[in-house]
Amino acid sequence: MMNVKVSVVIPVYNAEKYITECIESLLNQTLKQCEFIFVNDGSKDNSFQIIENYRKKDNRVKLINQENQGVSIARNNGLEIALGEYVGFVDADDYIEKDMYETLYNCTKQYNYDLILSNFESEIEGHKVITKYSFPIGSILDESYIKGEILPYFLKADDLNTACNKLYRNKILKENLIRFPENVSLGEDGMFNISFIGSIDTMIYIDYTGYHYREVKGSATRNVAEKDYFQRALEVYRLELPTSLIGNINKVKIQKFKSLKLIRSVMSYIHVYFDPGKELSYKMRYRYIKEMIGNKCVKEALAIYCNENYNTMGNYEKFIINMIKRESTLGLYFATTYSRVRNK
């Protein structure tokens, strides 16, 4: 048995359209000492058979078959059997560059880092966007930086949440029994990351983009009919991070981060919910936004958001903020419709 350097866990649910491209990108990795743990989460399409065909040809492919239990349980079941020094995650409708795991793994050898963080590319409705971070590049980020800057970042933005642009030291996952929360419908990646990052001494951020994230219609992040985005955003806003994780970070700074994140989320949800689609009736969308902008946490956060940002806002953002302030759902509807027509 080869010494496994990286275990990659891939949850799969009805992914036959993209799974072949995903598998090929994994098997073509320049780092050969990898294992690829596919967890078929009760797919009703041909996904299982496609993976099974590859498994017969390549002994690095492992396959767990389970009834549909959701992405967190699928990933946790993959983690149970992961043998690698490090663990990575890939979603079944995404793909990676062939040197991704070699690039990330080679970084670990400099200083035995507990976590390696990289950029990722998203493709949303035909547009490609690379997500980068403002952390120092290529240098040791120690415990004080992690607690002072990285952990609070989760309260400020969503773009660090994904598990797919990172390598995690498996020993830490196992010793601290770190797993994905199983009763959460959105945001399980963020909670997993906060638990892991709160348990480590060193990490590194590299300016490298090897992960290609494809936002598929009906994927968890876009499914407005089933996912209550706003409730999830409120949970994050109300979340008290344990002192053991964040140490003595200024409470005012934390409140500011949370407020900025909540209002940014609310503004994006207004656009998502007023985007005409078949999943929800206009009446339901209208009612949802009305309740959202009337929420007392939103009012509280809005005051801090305006205080921080008002002078640097463009006219459109100012208009949206003023409509939220006045609780004018109709004003928001006209503004988002105008914006959509203008940007076509």
Side-chain angles (χ1 to χ4, degrees), residues 190-231:
M191 292 182 184
F192 173 82
N193 277 312
I194 287 170
S195 299
F196 185 86
I197 290 170
S199 308
I200 66 176
D201 299 322
T202 59
M203 61 177 280
I204 186 171
Y205 165 52
I206 58 169
D207 187 13
Y208 163 84
T209 309
Y211 194 92
H212 300 277
Y213 169 75
R214 189 189 273 118
E215 199 159 87
V216 183
K217 200 153 181 56
S219 73
T221 45
R222 294 284 286 181
N223 197 342
V224 298
E226 285 181 24
K227 307 290 184 187
D228 191 338
Y229 294 107
F230 180 57
Q231 281 312 120

Side-chain angles (χ1 to χ4, degrees), residues 87-88 104 115-117 160-168 193:
V87 177
L104 268 60
L115 177 77
I116 300 90
L117 165 68
L160 195 59
N161 284 357
T162 175
C164 295
N165 61 340
K166 303 172 179 71
L167 270 188
Y168 303 85
N193 277 312

Side-chain angles (χ1 to χ4, degrees), residues 239-281:
L239 181 73
E240 291 292 331
L241 281 186
T243 313
S244 59
L245 287 187
I246 54 171
N248 302 316
I249 301 169
N250 185 304
K251 295 277 188 292
V252 175
K253 183 179 174 185
I254 288 177
Q255 193 55 37
K256 184 175 91 176
F257 283 170
K258 286 180 170 183
S259 300
L260 298 180
K261 183 174 182 176
L262 181 64
I263 299 304
R264 284 192 199 109
S265 297
V266 165
M267 288 196 288
S268 73
Y269 302 155
I270 287 165
H271 283 87
V272 168
Y273 275 90
F274 273 148
D275 189 12
K278 296 185 182 110
E279 304 110 322
L280 288 176
S281 69

Side-chain angles (χ1 to χ4, degrees), residues 133-179:
Y133 306 97
S134 55
F135 311 132
I137 295 165
S139 54
I140 299 170
L141 306 180
D142 63 10
E143 194 179 352
S144 68
Y145 188 87
I146 290 165
K147 289 197 168 172
E149 300 294 330
I150 306 286
L151 279 166
Y153 190 92
F154 285 97
L155 303 175
K156 180 168 71 169
D158 283 325
D159 59 14
L160 195 59
N161 284 357
T162 175
C164 295
N165 61 340
K166 303 172 179 71
L167 270 188
Y168 303 85
R169 187 195 289 285
N170 199 3
K171 186 166 177 262
I172 289 171
L173 288 169
K174 290 193 187 310
E175 282 175 358
N176 296 280
L177 300 172
I178 296 166
R179 293 292 181 265

Side-chain angles (χ1 to χ4, degrees), residues 6-12 22 26 34-40 62 64 66 71-84 86-92 101 163-164 166-168 170 173-174 180 192 211:
V6 175
S7 298
V8 187
V9 177
I10 312 99
V12 182
C22 175
L26 290 165
C34 294
E35 62 173 1
F36 307 108
I37 304 166
F38 291 85
V39 186
N40 179 43
K62 312 282 187 292
I64 297 172
Q66 66 179 42
V71 67
S72 288
I73 292 177
R75 283 173 169 168
N76 290 343
N77 287 340
L79 282 174
E80 289 300 325
I81 66 164
L83 299 172
Y86 287 83
V87 177
F89 297 92
V90 170
D91 289 339
Y101 286 122
C164 295
K166 303 172 179 71
L167 270 188
Y168 303 85
N170 199 3
L173 288 169
K174 290 193 187 310
F180 289 86
F192 173 82
Y211 194 92

Side-chain angles (χ1 to χ4, degrees), residues 1 20 24 26 50 63 68 77 84 116 121-122 132 138 143 173 186 195 207 219 221 224 257 269 277 290 311 328 337:
M1 179 68 190
T20 300
E24 292 283 349
L26 290 165
I50 294 168
L63 178 53
N68 181 245
N77 287 340
I116 300 90
E121 182 188 75
S122 312
K132 299 187 172 197
E143 194 179 352
L173 288 169
L186 272 175
S195 299
D207 187 13
S219 73
T221 45
V224 298
F257 283 170
Y269 302 155
K290 189 175 168 59
N311 293 335
S328 173
T337 304

